Amino acid sequence: FAYAALKAGVDTYIGTHFFLESQRSFLFIKAFLQQVLQNSSYLEAFNCSLQALEKEYGANDISLYNYIYYGG
């Protein structure tokens, strides 16, 4: 799906490798949107979201490896 979206002209795509439970997903999107609303780039917001997951669930949590970022 990411390839098709990018080929169609989408500049940035954030996806997942597998399903995650809702608390981790909520934390990720909450951190992401907070950063975007503060005018951070999508990449900066993505990295802050991963940091929020690591802070909450630890450096070895599988959710850190679930999210993928394509774009600039």
Side-chain angles (χ1 to χ4, degrees):
F1 183 77
Y3 176 76
L6 293 170
K7 189 168 174 115
V10 172
D11 290 330
T12 302
Y13 176 86
I14 297 172
T16 60
H17 290 292
F18 51 85
F19 177 78
L20 280 177
E21 55 92 15
S22 60
Q23 287 182 322
R24 283 170 170 79
S25 298
F26 178 76
L27 177 59
F28 182 91
I29 196 64
K30 180 180 173 186
F32 182 84
L33 291 176
Q34 286 174 340
Q35 291 299 311
V36 169
L37 290 173
Q38 294 177 12
N39 295 319
S40 296
S41 71
Y42 291 139
L43 182 56
E44 291 170 328
F46 179 82
N47 288 329
C48 286
S49 297
L50 292 179
Q51 290 172 359
L53 286 172
E54 183 176 359
K55 182 179 178 184
E56 182 70 22
Y57 297 105
N60 295 321
D61 187 69
I62 191 71
S63 63
L64 295 173
Y65 307 99
N66 182 43
Y67 293 97
I68 49 177
Y69 179 93
Y70 297 97

